[in-house]
Amino acid sequence: MEISSSAAATRSASTAAATPNKPRNAANFADSLADAVKLTGNLAAGFVSGRLGVDLNSDGIPLRMVYLDQEGSRLTTSAFCAESILRNTQQLGISLNDLKGLGTQLDAAGVGYKPYELYRGTGSDHGIDFDDLIAGGLGTAYDWTQDANVAAKGPGAIRRLEEAAALAQSLQLVAHAEVTQNKGIDPTRFATQAATGESPRHYVMFNGSVAAWYGSSEQAEQARHLYGGGVTDLALRASSTAVGMNAHNPGSGTSPVNSDGVTQATTSSSAVSWNDQLQALIDAIHERLHPPTPIR
């Protein structure tokens, strides 16, 4: 929905939507979320900084970029990807420096958007490093100017890859080694996932490029036979890690384990900030309402 207010007013309202007042109980918490959604619906984008904005999907994941004019009205939108951001900001004369304020807002709201943050608990290599993009890098964990399998994807894919490579060359982009590592999914970042009406899924089948979560070892093994790779029991790995930590810290207590054998971390309430508790609650709600799907 387009607006005609000033960019400053848009930024102010966006920040208010991203940081609702502290609720006193579950009912107030639900009301706060509803108010935030209503307010966001009246903005050019869910989060706005200068002439750039970003909208989230129902899972709280960046869905699309929004490009604004000097008055804060929407000009166009694109996919949330580095190439699209570079192409549209160049064509519309928008400074990439506006990404700094956007990143600050997303960080404050606990929204994952950087490489290995976009899909939390999955080890996904998707995401955009805004600082790297501003510094003339590709802004991603992988090189989006190359694709070894492009020939099998058809003429359209070949043309788009050529256009991406031409854009990177025209902007003299450099693949900075500290960001663009081309290492794919990081299996050490896998975490137990929850599905609506099911027990936590802590068996992960991973074949080097595709990961999928299952509630039983039998299901995971069936997937392994189909797709290759191996199966990891995250509950067992978490338990081993906890034992190792306790061996180094004899004075610490062991973490409780639920009926499914999933180790649950315990933290003193005095050591956890309100923002951390709120984000943990939001993450838990998202996981239960929106079961994850296999990723690349």
Side-chain angles (χ1 to χ4, degrees), residues 210-230:
V210 175
W213 276 248
Y214 299 92
S216 70
S217 59
E218 291 78 9
Q219 292 175 323
E221 284 296 332
Q222 289 177 0
R224 183 183 67 81
H225 286 301
L226 287 175
Y227 303 107

Side-chain angles (χ1 to χ4, degrees), residues 86 96 130-139 168 171-176:
L86 291 170
L96 285 176
F130 291 164
D131 290 334
D132 186 56
L133 212 57
I134 294 171
L138 295 175
L171 296 176
Q172 298 182 328
L173 301 184
V174 177
H176 296 141

